[in-house]
Amino acid sequence: MKTKNIQKLLLIVFTVLCFTGCKKDSENIFTMFTEVTVTYNNSDPRCVTDYKSVNEKEEVWIDFTINSASEDMYSYTVEKSASNQTPERTVFTITNPAQRRSFSNIIKLVMDRDGKTSYRIYALNQKGIFIGDGKKSVTIDVNPSYMIYANRNIYLPDTVAKSLPSFFSLSDASGFNYTEAGSNSAKIDFGIYRRLASNSTPAAVSYVINLYSPGVPVNPLAVYDISAWTPKRTTRFSAPVTGQATAFLTGAISGSTIETLARARTINLSATVATVAASGLAAGSAVFFLTPEGKYGMMYINAATSDYQGRPYINVSVKVQR
């Protein structure tokens, strides 16, 4: 028994010595990298020193000075973080040896993304290893420049009961059935319908979905008489463009980027005229548009499907300039 107690005592002493040794060799992560400081200067009204709220297309300056007390800086990184996207990092070399302990510069930005974007600047040593960021960052908040409406259903016309919302307003993403549409024509930008695709066969029936403006010269869905509607909006559309998921999610991020994307397309249609399903209002495609008020927008088709009652519809999301 005495031998076992001695062994236990020695084990306790050994463990205490190990922890004591580790404590001397380790450095608390919260006290590391304290010899680099970053100052965000207020040299101009356009400067951001902590948080700044601006409008789209405004110019914002990040005037910074980065100092290192004990280690030379050979480069610095500007890290940009927006929303839940992976941060963007750009490395800049410090070429002047006289600036290795204190470096200043001004980054000039023209804001083209709605919402909050944060910027962090940190120093790297000769080996490209992080040596500090002063535990500071700045945030620029761009006021909303566009509206977004997500996951709105537009039903194919039910030409008997005429009770399903097959007409749509791009200004507020509201839908109307044929019975309601006449008294709301001032809001309605388009209706949808389907017809047999040109490549449809009895063995493989296929439909193509198109849209039409109330001001279309020839109504493609004569069973819905819209001739007496007044007023009739004159929104113009592009032909559907396939493969637009990335453009909608990460490209159309402000009023100006939406306009840039839209202007790259020909927007002159009062009705789309696709003849096969894939080139119509199909999942993954988008239609760009220009409203009578001069607002550009993008409508993305999330799905072309049917509900639990078998009623076909398209599910869309819309981004439109304010």
Side-chain angles (χ1 to χ4, degrees):
M1 283 297 290
K2 290 183 179 180
T3 302
K4 288 184 178 180
N5 289 336
I6 293 172
Q7 288 176 340
K8 289 181 180 178
L9 180 61
L10 290 174
L11 180 60
I12 293 170
V13 172
F14 178 74
T15 302
V16 170
L17 289 173
C18 285
F19 276 110
T20 304
C22 290
K23 186 175 181 181
K24 290 180 180 179
D25 294 335
S26 300
E27 187 173 2
N28 190 326
I29 187 67
F30 297 105
T31 62
M32 295 171 68
F33 310 118
T34 58
E35 296 191 345
V36 171
T37 60
V38 180
T39 303
Y40 294 99
N41 306 306
N42 193 21
S43 61
D44 185 275
R46 289 166 287 192
C47 288
V48 55
T49 59
D50 179 37
Y51 171 90
K52 192 177 185 71
S53 177
V54 300
N55 293 319
E56 186 202 14
K57 296 184 180 179
E58 279 193 44
E59 185 173 288
V60 179
W61 292 8
I62 302 177
D63 180 347
F64 70 94
T65 300
I66 186 166
N67 293 295
S68 178
S70 61
E71 188 172 2
D72 284 354
M73 302 179 293
Y74 280 77
S75 60
Y76 65 93
T77 297
V78 178
E79 181 182 88
K80 174 184 175 182
S81 301
S83 186
N84 58 354
Q85 296 184 12
T86 302
E88 299 175 18
R89 298 181 180 91
T90 306
V91 179
F92 299 90
T93 302
I94 299 174
T95 57
N96 187 346
Q99 297 177 316
R100 301 235 186 268
R101 293 299 180 90
S102 182
F103 179 85
S104 297
N105 196 13
I106 298 176
I107 302 169
K108 298 181 179 180
L109 307 166
V110 177
M111 306 313 297
D112 63 354
R113 181 190 185 94
D114 285 15
K116 294 180 180 180
T117 303
S118 295
Y119 293 85
R120 181 171 72 109
I121 297 172
Y122 56 84
L124 306 172
N125 63 16
Q126 189 173 16
K127 295 181 179 180
I129 296 173
F130 172 91
I131 57 174
D133 63 355
K135 296 182 173 60
K136 289 185 178 180
S137 64
V138 294
T139 298
I140 304 167
D141 193 358
V142 179
N143 297 319
S145 61
Y146 70 96
M147 300 295 295
I148 179 169
Y149 304 102
N151 297 313
R152 305 303 171 98
N153 293 339
I154 311 172
Y155 279 83
L156 272 296
D158 56 329
T159 54
V160 178
K162 301 179 180 179
S163 61
L164 295 178
S166 60
F167 294 97
F168 194 73
S169 168
L170 291 166
S171 59
D172 63 4
S174 53
F176 303 91
N177 62 35
Y178 178 72
T179 304
E180 303 164 331
S183 59
N184 289 280
S185 64
K187 298 179 63 176
I188 292 173
D189 291 282
F190 67 88
I192 65 170
Y193 73 103
R194 75 177 183 178
R195 63 184 182 188
L196 277 174
S198 60
N199 59 354
S200 182
T201 66
V205 177
S206 177
Y207 292 95
V208 56
I209 302 173
N210 280 301
L211 63 78
Y212 64 99
S213 163
V216 66
V218 178
N219 183 356
L221 190 66
V223 69
Y224 276 7
D225 183 8
I226 60 175
S227 59
W229 285 12
T230 182
K232 294 179 180 179
R233 288 179 62 77
T234 56
T235 301
R236 290 295 177 261
F237 303 90
S238 73
V241 185
T242 59
Q244 293 298 297
T246 299
F248 186 81
L249 291 173
T250 64
I253 53 177
S254 67
S256 62
T257 54
I258 292 170
E259 182 171 342
T260 298
L261 289 168
R263 284 182 174 272
R265 307 293 173 178
T266 300
I267 302 178
N268 62 352
L269 301 177
S270 57
T272 59
V273 292
T275 58
V276 296
S279 58
L281 301 181
S285 66
V287 172
F288 297 89
F289 59 86
L290 176 62
T291 71
E293 296 79 22
K295 304 297 184 181
Y296 285 95
M298 180 179 185
M299 182 177 74
Y300 179 74
I301 292 82
N302 300 302
T305 185
S306 298
D307 66 14
Y308 69 98
Q309 292 179 284
R311 301 176 301 187
Y313 68 91
I314 60 173
N315 180 272
V316 305
S317 295
V318 176
K319 292 182 178 180
V320 58
Q321 289 178 313
R322 284 179 176 268

